[in-house]
Amino acid sequence: MPRNIRKSTVSKYLIRRLEQIGLKHIFGIPGDYVLDFFDRLEESKLELVGCCNELNAGYAADGYARVNGVSAVSVTYGVGGFSLLNAVVGSAAERLPVIVISGAPKTGHKVETNLLHHTVGDLKLQSHIYREVTSASAVLDNPEDAPKQIDETIAICLRLRRPVYLELPMDMVDAPCKSPSPSFKVDTTIRSMPEIAGEAVNEAAARLQKAKKPVILAGIESHRLGIRDELLGLVNHSGFPFCTTMLGKSILPERHPQYRGVYCGLSAAPGIRELLDEADVILNLGALMTDMNFGVVSGSLPREKMIIANSDRVAISHHLYPSVSLADFIAGLRKKLPKGKLRKLPWPHPSANLEKKYAARKNTDITVKRFYQRMSECVDGDNIVMAGTGDALFCLANMYLQEDVEFIAQAFYLSIGYSLPATLGVKLAAPNRRPVLVIGDGALQMTAQEMSTIISRKLNPVIFIMNNRGYTIERVIRDGEYNDIPNWHYSKLPEAFGGGWGMQVRTEEELETAIARINSDPKNTAIIEVMLDQYDCSESLQTLGANLRSKAKTKTQ
């Protein structure tokens, strides 16, 4: 490479690309193999957000990607990369573009015989493992090739909405390379084969026009692909009623007159399951066919009455149409279908739950049911509601969100502890909105230390900790002492972490006091410990537990 174009370095090239795709933050944990890169980050416009451990940094990056559209996380080699791995797998499962940047030993160390710390001796092991769980990976061990590798890897991340992996050896951080171009644009369009797309649209439209009770099941991919407006346009044009999956909750306005709630199989709220069961055609637009989306009974909706359109393919009964983008399929249906009238439904709109105004009762212990009834009146468009993995996921999924409140949960991969560090990422990506997290005490104990990062950065989420002294979601499946956990004084955590404030509530009146203080103090972290009976949980979780127990019993017979 001629010297006159060696005006950048590998790290500066990479950092510039991260800035150009819209990142303002990068999450990470220092370690000797990545310290040189961290020095370059601190010299850049990107803000390096230090977390308490690599797993939490990955969860935070996942939350950031859900709001910002892409994120990045950087760790040291071996102990850092492998600790981060579970979070990256979760991002891959839920279709999130996260750029993983791992420091690594110097390139010359690969031919040495001495074992290096933080490794098992095989310096190709980490890149091999990440290759299995990411959509693209590259080891930046040649400065002439590095710019192209960086561009191609980031482009794949943005195009496929999946995690990617970049490994940066220590001696490559300041290695000279060509300068990045002034702009970096990636075509993220998923291309369709016009003839195949036309056939898919024609077959689907023909079935929908004959249907007496068609229903739209809206899924998360419309959000990931940035086509929510197009999906809403089809809903308005067709007049079909719609519901969402748990993972797709809030992707369309819940105030919409044709919205009926969240479908999650046998644990769905009354009316929603009947709506899907009675439908003669179910138009699945971007919903992932996961057991959690369908209530651990993914086969409960017959495939023969489903039109399943995902990011790049369409399936109608047993007919498969590859190379058809979800965006093109939605646009084609809107053109093909006649303008429809709103269909009258026998089930009330979810907003009907707000008609009976909540009133706190004196000297009455708070229950799960009453807590979420109160929450449905509290949150508004300034909030992002976040659900911990557990009963909170089912309760919040079935709670009506007014004023276009956004909902975030890891509703497929279900890593317990995910939601607290993810709240950090969400808040940094949406600084003008206040996250409201509801998390169980068991989940909180797994990642509680990240509360210190939230508090030290003077962020203002509201965190409700549902204290029933154990893993409720496991108790409903199989009860045992292994589901019990040590009880912490959760409301005193702000004292330990040096900021914010905490309060323990046992009664409905005490919950009102806590809510009043939350509203009067919008700038600080609020920790509300909600004391519950050990076995108090939602009807949805009870139904799910009974179903799983029944399936387990059948297998053993």
Side-chain angles (χ1 to χ4, degrees), residues 161-450:
R161 281 79 172 178
R162 300 287 199 284
V164 295
Y165 175 78
L166 292 170
E167 188 169 298
L168 182 59
M170 295 171 63
D171 55 337
M172 291 293 108
V173 171
D174 293 323
C177 70
K178 72 174 187 178
S179 297
S181 55
S183 64
F184 182 60
K185 295 182 179 180
V186 177
D187 183 2
T188 59
T189 305
I190 298 175
R191 307 292 178 185
S192 298
M193 294 290 288
E195 298 84 358
I196 299 176
E199 290 181 13
V201 168
N202 287 339
E203 182 177 354
R207 292 195 61 179
L208 289 167
Q209 286 178 275
K210 292 179 182 178
K212 303 296 184 183
K213 295 181 177 180
V215 174
I216 291 176
L217 182 60
I220 192 61
E221 286 191 315
S222 67
H223 175 274
R224 301 284 190 263
L225 298 171
I227 55 172
R228 287 190 288 183
D229 289 344
E230 290 82 350
L231 176 57
L232 181 59
L234 178 61
V235 169
N236 293 333
H237 177 79
S238 67
F240 299 161
F242 75 94
C243 57
T244 71
T245 60
M246 268 204 267
L247 195 58
K249 181 178 173 65
S250 82
I251 60 170
L252 295 178
E254 297 194 354
R255 67 175 184 274
H256 196 286
Q258 291 301 88
Y259 175 68
R260 281 303 177 272
V262 172
Y263 179 77
C264 44
L266 295 178
S267 56
I272 304 170
R273 191 165 67 246
E274 290 81 357
L275 176 67
L276 271 293
D277 288 343
E278 294 178 11
D280 46 5
V281 177
I282 299 172
L283 181 57
N284 179 338
L285 297 174
L288 303 181
M289 299 294 289
T290 72
D291 58 352
M292 288 308 301
N293 268 342
F294 293 89
V296 198
V297 281
S298 57
S300 65
L301 298 177
R303 287 288 183 118
E304 52 269 19
K305 71 175 185 179
M306 295 187 74
I307 299 170
I308 303 173
N310 289 113
S311 58
D312 60 356
R313 67 188 62 193
V314 173
I316 303 176
S317 295
H318 301 290
H319 300 167
L320 178 62
Y321 295 93
S323 301
V324 180
S325 78
L326 181 59
D328 290 342
F329 185 69
I330 289 174
L333 281 180
R334 184 171 180 178
K335 290 180 181 179
K336 196 76 175 177
L337 292 173
K339 176 69 176 176
K341 296 180 179 180
L342 297 183
R343 194 175 107 211
K344 291 184 178 180
L345 299 171
W347 307 285
H349 190 273
S351 61
N353 294 330
L354 297 178
E355 292 177 358
K356 186 177 181 180
K357 193 72 174 176
Y358 177 94
R361 299 173 295 197
K362 293 184 178 180
N363 304 318
T364 302
D365 289 343
I366 193 70
T367 63
V368 166
K369 184 176 181 179
R370 290 284 286 175
F371 172 82
Y372 287 99
Q373 184 181 348
R374 184 67 179 100
M375 285 302 100
S376 66
E377 297 181 6
C378 287
V379 295
D380 58 31
D382 292 330
N383 298 126
I384 296 177
V385 172
M386 304 193 61
T389 300
D391 196 27
L393 176 60
F394 293 90
C395 292
L396 290 172
N398 287 321
M399 188 177 87
Y400 173 66
L401 296 178
Q402 52 188 333
E403 297 187 38
D404 298 345
V405 176
E406 189 169 355
F407 174 79
I408 291 178
Q410 196 183 61
F412 169 31
Y413 192 62
L414 296 177
S415 191
I416 295 177
Y418 158 84
S419 59
L420 179 63
T423 300
L424 167 64
V426 166
K427 177 59 187 179
L428 291 176
N432 295 325
R433 302 182 73 180
R434 192 177 196 185
V436 175
L437 167 64
V438 183
I439 185 172
D441 53 345
L444 181 101
Q445 286 196 14
M446 291 192 174
T447 54
Q449 63 271 62
E450 218 54 56

Side-chain angles (χ1 to χ4, degrees), residues 482-497:
Y482 41 75
N483 291 323
D484 298 335
I485 62 173
N487 192 37
W488 295 2
H489 297 295
Y490 299 99
S491 60
K492 295 183 179 181
L493 287 176
E495 298 176 29
F497 292 134

Side-chain angles (χ1 to χ4, degrees), residues 24-262:
K24 292 182 174 61
H25 304 83
I26 180 170
F27 301 89
I29 299 289
D32 56 349
Y33 294 126
V34 78
L35 292 181
D36 288 341
F37 180 61
F38 275 24
D39 284 341
R40 303 301 165 262
L41 284 172
E42 291 198 334
E43 296 166 1
S44 73
K45 296 178 182 179
L46 292 178
E47 184 176 355
L48 177 58
V49 181
C51 296
C52 294
N53 60 51
E54 291 85 0
L55 179 62
N56 287 1
Y59 289 152
D62 181 296
Y64 192 94
R66 290 172 192 258
V67 176
N68 186 63
V70 65
S71 69
V73 57
S74 185
V75 297
T76 195
Y77 193 79
V79 293
F82 294 138
S83 180
L84 171 67
L85 189 62
N86 183 59
V88 177
V89 173
S91 298
E94 302 214 350
R95 313 296 199 264
L96 289 159
V98 177
I99 301 168
V100 178
I101 304 166
S102 176
K106 294 179 180 180
T107 54
H109 286 156
K110 291 188 177 181
V111 296
E112 293 184 2
T113 57
N114 291 336
L115 297 176
L116 297 177
H117 64 283
H118 295 340
T119 79
V120 296
D122 180 359
L123 297 186
K124 295 182 180 179
L125 179 62
Q126 182 169 301
S127 63
H128 286 169
I129 290 175
Y130 269 89
R131 192 177 303 149
E132 296 298 318
V133 300
T134 59
S135 292
S137 65
V139 178
L140 306 178
D141 55 6
N142 185 321
E144 291 192 11
D145 297 334
K148 182 180 179 182
Q149 290 176 299
I150 291 169
D151 288 355
E152 290 179 348
T153 303
I154 292 177
I156 290 172
C157 178
L158 297 177
R159 187 177 303 118
L160 300 184
R161 281 79 172 178
R162 300 287 199 284
V164 295
Y165 175 78
L166 292 170
E167 188 169 298
L168 182 59
M170 295 171 63
D171 55 337
M172 291 293 108
V173 171
D174 293 323
C177 70
K178 72 174 187 178
S179 297
S181 55
S183 64
F184 182 60
K185 295 182 179 180
V186 177
D187 183 2
T188 59
T189 305
I190 298 175
R191 307 292 178 185
S192 298
M193 294 290 288
E195 298 84 358
I196 299 176
E199 290 181 13
V201 168
N202 287 339
E203 182 177 354
R207 292 195 61 179
L208 289 167
Q209 286 178 275
K210 292 179 182 178
K212 303 296 184 183
K213 295 181 177 180
V215 174
I216 291 176
L217 182 60
I220 192 61
E221 286 191 315
S222 67
H223 175 274
R224 301 284 190 263
L225 298 171
I227 55 172
R228 287 190 288 183
D229 289 344
E230 290 82 350
L231 176 57
L232 181 59
L234 178 61
V235 169
N236 293 333
H237 177 79
S238 67
F240 299 161
F242 75 94
C243 57
T244 71
T245 60
M246 268 204 267
L247 195 58
K249 181 178 173 65
S250 82
I251 60 170
L252 295 178
E254 297 194 354
R255 67 175 184 274
H256 196 286
Q258 291 301 88
Y259 175 68
R260 281 303 177 272
V262 172

Side-chain angles (χ1 to χ4, degrees), residues 457-476:
R457 297 183 70 87
K458 302 187 185 305
L459 305 179
N460 68 340
V462 178
I463 303 173
F464 289 98
I465 303 169
M466 312 302 280
N467 185 355
N468 52 19
R469 297 160 296 288
Y471 301 120
T472 304
I473 194 167
E474 310 297 348
R475 283 174 178 153
V476 300

